[in-house]
Amino acid sequence: MTQFNENQESQKNFIYTRYRYCGRVKPENLAFNANLQEFSQKVAYIVNLETNGKLPPGKAFNQIEELWEELKCTKDGLMIDDKY
């Protein structure tokens, strides 16, 4: 790997941080965890845009609400139960 690619990979890992899963290891739990981390990353971007005045509060709310509905659908689709 060249120095340029290593720097790109380092920046990518910094911006798109992924955390290790520590729950029950089942494929549906791992998939949901990945979706949950993506949800939280997108919400953070939306919140930062709204906080800095780049996105109106109503639009930010609507975008987060859409992301929430998508996350709920993936939970239902993966048949994740609420019991741990």
Side-chain angles (χ1 to χ4, degrees):
M1 196 181 255
T2 66
Q3 181 67 28
F4 180 72
N5 288 340
E6 289 174 6
N7 286 340
Q8 279 185 322
E9 190 65 28
S10 177
Q11 288 175 349
K12 180 181 170 191
N13 289 337
F14 177 76
I15 293 172
Y16 303 108
T17 305
R18 295 285 184 197
Y19 296 97
R20 197 170 35 177
Y21 179 67
C22 297
R24 269 193 205 145
V25 179
K26 295 183 347 187
E28 58 270 19
N29 290 351
L30 294 173
F32 182 70
N33 180 264
N35 291 338
L36 185 60
Q37 288 191 43
E38 184 178 341
F39 167 80
S40 67
Q41 187 73 39
K42 288 179 179 181
V43 168
Y45 288 142
I46 293 168
V47 168
N48 287 327
L49 287 170
E50 192 279 329
T51 300
N52 289 312
K54 305 292 183 186
L55 191 64
K59 191 170 183 177
F61 177 83
N62 291 338
Q63 288 180 1
I64 292 172
E65 191 172 43
E66 287 175 21
L67 290 172
W68 177 251
E69 291 301 320
E70 288 176 22
L71 185 64
K72 281 179 20 180
C73 287
T74 62
K75 179 183 177 277
D76 294 340
L78 292 168
M79 294 184 270
I80 303 287
D81 59 1
D82 291 331
K83 298 176 186 173
Y84 200 78

